[in-house]
Amino acid sequence: MTERKLPDYGDVAAAAERIANYAHRTPVMTSRTVNADFGAEVYFKCENFQRMGAFKFRGAMNALLQFTPEQRAAGVVAFSSGNHAQAVALAAKLLSIPATIIMPLDAPAAKVAATKGYGGRVVTYDRYTEDREQIGRELAQKEGLTLIPPYDHPQVIAGQGTAAKELIEDVGPLDALFVCLGGGGLLSGSALAARHLSPRCAIYGVEPEAGNDGQQSLRSGQIVHIETPKTIADGAQTQHLGHYTFPIIQHTVEDILTVSDDELIAAMTFFAERMKMVVEPTGCLGFAAARARKSSLRGKKVGVIISGGNVDIHRYARFLAGERES
Ligand SMILES: *Cc1c(COP(=O)(O)O)cnc(C)c1O
């Protein structure tokens, strides 16, 4: 096995400086209703207001800013049908780096259009018969492109950690921090920041109930692989944690919690109705979990990362109307 140098807090701090001129310092919001309901101080870090609508811009920008001149000239490749694709496409555009994004043939037209809108070249594959990672590696090799994965990469992890760093800088040390969990880039980066800036903070990762591979991994001590889970939290439909993200999570995270799709819709409805915010299903994971255990948070200072706000507006309207997806 190859040696992996795990990122640390110094990498998060360096990433914060590196991306400061490009990423938004997103607002931290509070709700009197939530504070009264919890009997606690709850601080929401609103990455739904980040550029391209999710925290993923932080990691992508941090990685692309470290390209050598040769890498910049050749270009970047990423595989994703979601926020990572748009993050890499936007970061590449800002740095005038050619971007190739590998997306499934049946990716939503709006996402393909958004990626192309940022100037990215879209290469499609058949998700039932082809392996996107292999396509990515082949393209990278043939054209000399640098592959930036969505979560299992030290520079991506360090970039994602800058959101929690800002949150704690803005509101001070926390007792608990709830973070949405897919492949663990956001959670491991947040944990690096929180461990350093707020050492007594209990850090929780939150997954959809249907895709609790992270919880299984933490409990069994090894990376558990699952089938693509069926959940409305499309940003957390990952099948496994990463070789960088898992060891960090293992050493820093208190527990991994799960929430149901119904709890996500209830949280999404609350954000819309009471806080006037559009939050995508995956972005609701942290708050949904905090809400379910609010009695244990009484009197505490709690951070919740809202990870993104990209959701097809018609789909969003159907969720709020109480319609379920088939
Ligand atoms: C990617 C994503 C996640 C999950 O992030 P990981 O780093 O894969 O754990 C959560 N929320 C949103 C909105 C995302 O785009």
Side-chain angles (χ1 to χ4, degrees):
M1 229 168 77
T2 49
E3 263 302 299
R4 285 192 192 84
K5 161 121 181 31
L6 297 179
D8 58 23
Y9 178 72
D11 296 305
V12 178
E17 266 184 47
R18 205 174 281 121
I19 68 171
N21 289 332
Y22 300 96
H24 293 318
R25 188 173 184 109
T26 51
V28 176
M29 311 257 262
T30 56
S31 156
R32 282 169 193 264
T33 309
V34 171
N35 288 351
D37 181 35
F38 279 51
E41 280 174 64
V42 182
Y43 296 95
F44 296 98
K45 176 65 171 170
C46 295
E47 287 296 298
N48 49 325
F49 298 131
Q50 185 52 263
R51 293 186 75 170
M52 55 61 58
F55 72 91
K56 290 235 171 51
F57 178 68
R58 296 174 181 269
M61 199 68 208
N62 186 47
L64 266 62
L65 279 165
Q66 294 178 74
F67 274 23
T68 63
E70 292 73 31
Q71 287 177 304
R72 284 189 182 223
V76 60
V77 59
F79 44 80
S80 164
S81 54
N83 288 332
H84 179 63
Q86 288 170 66
V88 168
L90 174 58
K93 179 184 144 126
L94 295 173
L95 298 172
S96 304
I97 296 173
T100 301
I101 310 296
I102 302 169
M103 291 183 139
L105 271 170
D106 56 355
K111 291 199 167 159
V112 177
T115 305
K116 284 185 175 164
Y118 289 129
R121 170 177 65 146
V122 174
V123 172
T124 52
Y125 72 100
D126 183 341
R127 68 160 114 204
Y128 302 102
T129 61
E130 294 178 293
D131 175 357
R132 67 179 189 176
E133 300 197 18
Q134 194 187 333
I135 295 173
R137 274 193 298 271
E138 278 172 12
L139 208 60
Q141 199 159 38
K142 196 169 74 183
E143 301 186 10
L145 310 179
T146 303
L147 179 69
I148 298 296
Y151 56 87
D152 206 23
H153 185 289
Q155 296 167 349
V156 171
I157 292 168
Q160 316 307 32
T162 59
K165 176 177 181 286
E166 291 173 6
L167 169 63
I168 298 166
E169 283 169 355
D170 285 357
V171 309
L174 299 166
D175 298 309
L177 176 64
F178 292 84
V179 185
C180 315
L181 171 60
L186 182 64
L187 178 59
S188 56
S190 301
L192 293 177
R195 267 285 151 275
H196 185 86
L197 298 170
S198 182
R200 298 161 61 114
C201 175
I203 302 154
Y204 298 95
V206 186
E207 289 179 312
E209 212 166 68
N212 73 334
D213 61 289
Q215 189 180 59
Q216 291 183 45
S217 302
L218 192 66
R219 306 221 159 133
S220 68
Q222 55 192 1
I223 300 174
V224 171
H225 290 240
I226 59 167
E227 292 291 315
T228 300
K230 205 165 169 321
T231 166
I232 61 169
D234 46 11
Q237 283 180 309
T238 37
Q239 292 173 275
H240 54 86
L241 299 177
H243 295 291
Y244 286 96
T245 60
F246 179 59
I248 298 172
I249 289 169
Q250 218 179 1
H251 290 115
T252 53
V253 167
E254 189 77 18
D255 200 3
I256 293 178
L257 314 168
T258 64
V259 297
S260 68
D261 280 2
D262 284 342
E263 289 173 297
L264 291 177
I265 290 176
M268 198 183 320
T269 304
F270 179 87
F271 284 137
E273 198 165 40
R274 304 307 295 259
M275 296 180 74
K276 321 302 170 198
M277 286 199 296
V278 176
V279 182
E280 63 181 279
T282 316
C284 295
L285 285 164
F287 181 50
R291 243 180 159 187
R293 52 166 44 215
K294 65 185 177 189
S295 58
S296 70
L297 299 171
R298 208 152 251 296
K300 303 218 159 132
K301 200 162 148 187
V302 180
V304 172
I305 297 185
I306 296 177
S307 55
N310 292 331
V311 50
D312 175 86
I313 204 69
H314 303 290
R315 183 169 174 246
Y316 180 71
R318 287 195 295 273
F319 287 141
L320 296 189
E323 292 169 31
R324 300 306 308 267
E325 290 183 329
S326 51

